[in-house]
Amino acid sequence: MSDGTLTPEALAARAIANGVELWALTDHDEVGGQQRARDAARAAGLPYLAGVEISVTFAGLTVHIVGLGVDPENPELVNGLAATRDGRIARAQEMAEGLAKVGIKDAFEGALNYAGNPELIARTHFARYLVETGICASTHEVFRKYLVEGKPGFVDHRWATLGNAVQWIRQAGGIAVIAHPGRYKFTVNEEYALFTEFKAHGGRGVEVVTGSHTTADYVKYADMAIEFDLLASRGSDFHSPEESRTDLGTLPALPTRLKPVWEALMDRVQKAA
Ligand code: AMP
Ligand code: MN
């Protein structure tokens, strides 16, 4: 429902085909797909956990905090996500102005065509439009040339605070997890601060094995999980068969020395009726 290309139903079918044993759909800043995902999983006999991935600004960078096992109808979570989404449209208009300055016209309208919901318009949608127009050959090239810090389509944006995001997830009965920590360009001190403050707010998990981590990252964040006494998670960050490096259900297992986050969530897993 945010910036993936497949429907919740198609994802459930793909998860089953790939041998997934427990699935969570984690849209950015949105829980509108949870009912459909849960129903599709139930119909297919696939155990399901409700999820979300919240955009947070920390030390000047965007960090994603995943919530697992949340109640998608919890008012604190729903209202917090609505506040986080607010501002995406204005940001996208500014991004389009930046792109217009380097000769790329109508990017707002082009990106909007890819964003089902304008409130969730994301850089990914701009990337797809620039590939469609032939300006770049792949979405990765668009990000590198146009959509990251210092490039013409990048607009700094303040998302939720770390404390708020963790609190919304906890109020909704879920476990907060730092998503793909290997992707953030923090200094050692900033990264340490992220983990320390996350714990102080009641965050409990970290993604160790994910589609955007290298094997060196697996080792580094397995060590950090133990150092900070965090539960370990494993997520594909799958968005699209054309764009994602990692398919559902294809990542290696968590290192056995870690405590899997799902063991703490078994009471919230939704099983087939
Ligand atoms: P936004 O929330 O608008 O900042 O967009 C974030 C989306 O951009 C996420 O879905 C990321 O997976 C995606 N993204 C971030 N960096 C890259 C990259 N270098 N290549 C492809 N997708 C990216
Ligand atoms: Mn995404």
Side-chain angles (χ1 to χ4, degrees), residues 72-83:
E73 280 160 25
N74 176 269
E76 279 84 8
L77 177 67
V78 169
N79 294 337
L81 295 178

Side-chain angles (χ1 to χ4, degrees), residues 243-259:
E243 296 164 14
S244 294
R245 277 170 273 231
T246 306
D247 205 337
L248 297 173
T250 62
L251 284 167
L254 286 177
T256 52
R257 61 194 172 113
L258 303 179
K259 287 183 236 158

Side-chain angles (χ1 to χ4, degrees), residues 104-244:
I104 299 169
K105 279 183 268 169
D106 303 325
F108 180 76
E109 294 72 18
L112 207 50
N113 275 335
Y114 287 92
N117 176 359
E119 269 192 6
L120 283 168
I121 189 166
R123 284 182 293 164
T124 330
H125 304 123
F126 282 86
R128 289 183 193 136
Y129 173 67
L130 266 65
V131 171
E132 173 198 309
T133 55
I135 292 165
C136 289
S138 71
T139 52
H140 293 291
E141 186 187 338
V142 182
F143 271 88
R144 201 169 63 242
K145 292 187 176 165
Y146 294 101
L147 299 181
V148 294
E149 179 112 47
K151 302 297 176 185
F154 181 81
V155 175
D156 215 3
H157 194 74
R158 284 205 69 82
W159 304 112
T161 65
L162 180 65
N164 281 341
V166 173
Q167 198 186 349
W168 300 332
I169 292 165
R170 294 181 62 196
Q171 282 168 329
I175 291 185
V177 175
I178 299 174
H180 42 64
R183 221 163 77 183
Y184 313 128
K185 307 246 176 327
F186 286 129
T187 63
V188 174
N189 284 343
E190 287 167 342
E191 184 175 67
Y192 206 85
L194 170 67
F195 276 68
T196 306
E197 289 184 31
F198 175 73
K199 279 280 291 193
H201 289 299
R204 290 179 57 199
V206 60
E207 276 188 354
V208 172
V209 174
T210 100
S212 46
H213 277 181
T214 63
T215 43
D217 288 331
Y218 297 165
V219 177
K220 173 178 173 184
Y221 293 104
D223 288 345
M224 300 257 306
I226 287 169
E227 181 180 350
F228 284 88
D229 191 24
L230 291 168
L231 300 165
S233 191
R234 176 166 169 255
S236 62
D237 207 357
F238 178 80
H239 283 71
S240 150
E242 287 77 36
E243 296 164 14
S244 294

Side-chain angles (χ1 to χ4, degrees), residues 2-4 26-28 53 64 122 124 180 183 237-239:
S2 59
D3 64 338
T26 56
D27 273 311
H28 290 282
E53 183 173 18
H64 291 160
T124 330
H180 42 64
R183 221 163 77 183
D237 207 357
F238 178 80
H239 283 71

